[in-house]
Amino acid sequence: NAGVMQNPRHLVRRRGQEARLRCSPMKGHSHVYWYRQLPEEGLKFMVYLQKENIIDESGMPKERFSAEFPKEGPSILRIQQVVRGDSAAYFCASSPRKGGVLWRTEAFFGQGTRLTVV
Amino acid sequence: AQSVAQPEDQVNVAEGNPLTVKCTYSVSGNPYLFWYVQYPNRGLQFLLKYITGDNLVKGSYGFEAEFNKSQTSFHLKKPSALVSDSALYFCAVRDPGGSYIPTFGRGTSLIVHP
């Protein structure tokens, strides 16, 4: 089992460009969570998705950010027109069912994508 | 609303000495509590959790944590620190009767000196 795979590991974008972050959950997992880590701010929840469905996006900024988890393929976190404040580490976690991650089972996190906006 | 506080940004300890990383929480009901460790440029690794049962929970790499309901705390401990334990540690809490999204603390950087 390859675990949760995120790519790219590092992403550099100029202001105004688009950033696409990909997350392939563990085999058999159908739920994905995205978190953002900023220095001295800990981990902030962004969005929780099931295949073809957004369960909870209460942590997502209202503009420029979107996420999807299609029936086939990885989950994508998309940031349009990036600004310097978007520079952060973005982590994905997966679970086999709703509430599985960080519920009673251990969490499965990816290695993260470190986005730098120049 | 649920919240978790890690009052120390950094903890320094000498190798071989016991270590404690503090965490306090606030939830409306009974909490689920978790500790994770993050090594540089890596993702989060699960260490241990408290769901119910014994207040003393044992986890990976010799770590343990004690759930104290009266003090609303879940401090992480290890009897004898190793240099390799140096990392960023996160406490997380969720209220099983409320939001299923866990709340993380800001993290505590543990530095173990040789």
Side-chain angles (χ1 to χ4, degrees):
Chain A
N1 194 331
V4 179
M5 303 299 293
Q6 289 188 249
N7 65 83
R9 291 291 306 277
H10 301 275
L11 181 61
V12 179
R13 284 288 178 266
R14 296 185 184 279
R15 281 179 296 171
Q17 290 184 321
E18 178 179 286
R20 282 184 176 238
L21 288 63
R22 288 176 290 277
C23 169
S24 296
M26 289 184 70
K27 186 177 181 180
H29 288 190
S30 57
H31 296 259
V32 164
Y33 302 70
W34 284 94
Y35 290 84
R36 178 165 62 178
Q37 183 179 24
L38 289 163
E40 302 181 0
E41 291 191 16
L43 281 169
K44 300 294 186 183
F45 165 76
M46 299 183 74
V47 63
Y48 167 35
L49 308 105
Q50 184 182 1
K51 279 190 180 287
E52 301 184 283
N53 187 28
I54 296 176
I55 308 260
D56 187 325
E57 56 181 349
S58 58
M60 287 276 273
K62 293 288 185 276
E63 298 178 348
R64 302 188 296 108
F65 285 72
S66 63
E68 63 177 7
F69 188 16
K71 186 176 181 180
E72 301 291 337
S75 174
I76 305 288
L77 179 66
R78 181 184 180 201
I79 311 172
Q80 295 179 291
Q81 300 175 328
V82 295
V83 300
R84 288 218 171 110
D86 297 332
S87 296
Y90 292 83
F91 289 96
C92 168
S94 74
S95 78
R97 61 194 179 279
K98 180 177 178 178
V101 163
L102 306 179
W103 187 279
R104 287 180 173 264
T105 61
E106 65 185 73
F108 298 93
F109 276 83
Q111 302 279 29
T113 293
R114 281 153 182 82
L115 172 66
T116 302
V117 179
V118 297
Chain B
Q2 61 193 39
S3 65
V4 59
Q6 293 181 243
E8 302 154 316
D9 290 334
Q10 185 171 300
V11 169
N12 291 277
V13 64
E15 187 175 28
N17 284 0
L19 69 87
T20 299
V21 183
K22 296 179 180 178
C23 171
T24 58
Y25 65 89
S26 174
V27 296
S28 57
N30 293 318
Y32 289 175
L33 294 155
F34 307 83
W35 275 103
Y36 300 88
V37 60
Q38 183 183 31
Y39 297 100
N41 299 314
R42 303 294 295 273
L44 272 69
Q45 295 181 32
F46 169 79
L47 278 179
L48 50 79
K49 65 186 176 188
Y50 172 82
I51 303 297
T52 186
D54 289 342
N55 290 343
L56 184 64
V57 178
K58 294 188 183 295
S60 307
Y61 311 121
F63 284 93
E64 58 187 29
E66 185 168 13
F67 170 61
N68 188 318
K69 189 172 183 177
S70 63
Q71 297 186 2
T72 61
S73 67
F74 190 56
H75 301 329
L76 181 69
K77 299 181 180 182
K78 188 173 182 180
S80 179
L82 300 173
V83 173
S84 57
D85 292 330
S86 299
L88 188 59
Y89 290 81
F90 288 97
C91 181
V93 65
R94 64 175 302 278
D95 179 356
S99 169
Y100 50 81
I101 304 300
T103 300
F104 282 86
R106 289 173 53 174
T108 298
S109 177
L110 173 66
I111 299 175
V112 181
H113 302 276

